[in-house]
Every structure is written in structure tokens, then in C-alpha cells.
Amino acid sequence: MSSEEFMPKWDVALAAMARDACKQKAAPLTLDDFRQLANKHAIRLDDIMETLFLLVIHGEWRYTDSAGQEQPLTQETLDKLYIKRRLSEEELATFDGGWEPR
């Protein structure tokens, strides 16, 4: 096995920060929660959200839409959101549901 197989596919520090925030809130996180984390820790929102998308894609977290229905996210979904190699605030706004670890 190569060392690449052991490398996480997301930012583990951002994943841990999000998990801690979700645990403290005792409820799914929202985009507003992620904005607050980004501001508090001087991290770009799109970096946090890319990590969350990857966590959902790989089955570590789940995303439910504003109606409470779990929505699958794929790499294709994430790829379509990139504008100039960044996730835009406008595109992220459509993901106004809840994000939580499985």
C-alpha cells in the first residue's frame, strides 16, 4: 500500500473543528455556523465547506436539506460549484440545510 492510501481526502483540522462545533451546538451545523467559524478562526469559508462536502461524499458526515431530507453529495456536485477554483458564497447559499457527523 502506498502512503497516499493513508492520506485523508479532507483537511483533518477543519474536520475536527467542525465536529467540535457540532458537538457543542448539539444540533446540525448551518452555513451561518460555518461563517462564524470562518470569522472566528480566520479561515476561508470555502475551505471549510470543501472539507464538509468531502466528508459527506466519503460517508463521514451527512447533509440534510432545509426540509430535513438527507441529500447525497457527489464529487460531481462539488466540482460544479467551483468558480475560479473557489466555492462561491452564492453557490453555497443553496445548501441551507444541516450538516452533521454520522
Side-chain angles (χ1 to χ4, degrees):
M1 287 190 175
S2 71
S3 62
E4 208 171 283
E5 291 177 31
F6 296 110
M7 294 297 295
K9 298 178 182 358
W10 51 80
D11 185 309
V12 293
L14 295 180
M17 179 187 68
R19 183 176 292 278
D20 288 345
C22 193
K23 184 177 178 181
Q24 287 178 351
K25 184 178 178 182
L29 299 176
T30 64
L31 278 176
D32 285 339
D33 295 320
F34 294 122
R35 284 184 192 100
Q36 290 173 8
L37 287 170
N39 287 332
K40 179 180 178 182
H41 298 287
I43 301 168
R44 287 191 287 240
L45 176 63
D46 68 309
D47 288 341
I48 294 172
M49 295 312 300
E50 178 183 18
T51 293
L52 268 292
F53 271 88
L54 290 170
L55 288 166
V56 172
I57 290 166
H58 292 282
E60 299 291 318
W61 280 57
R62 68 186 200 126
Y63 169 71
T64 54
D65 62 21
S66 57
Q69 299 296 313
E70 186 169 347
Q71 297 297 315
L73 300 177
T74 65
Q75 186 64 48
E76 183 180 357
T77 305
L78 180 58
D79 292 344
K80 287 180 181 179
L81 293 174
Y82 277 103
I83 296 176
K84 297 182 183 176
R85 300 177 49 124
R86 290 280 173 212
L87 300 174
S88 76
E89 183 77 32
E90 295 80 27
E91 293 291 332
L92 289 173
T94 62
F95 295 91
D96 59 350
W99 304 75
E100 63 186 324
R102 290 200 176 271

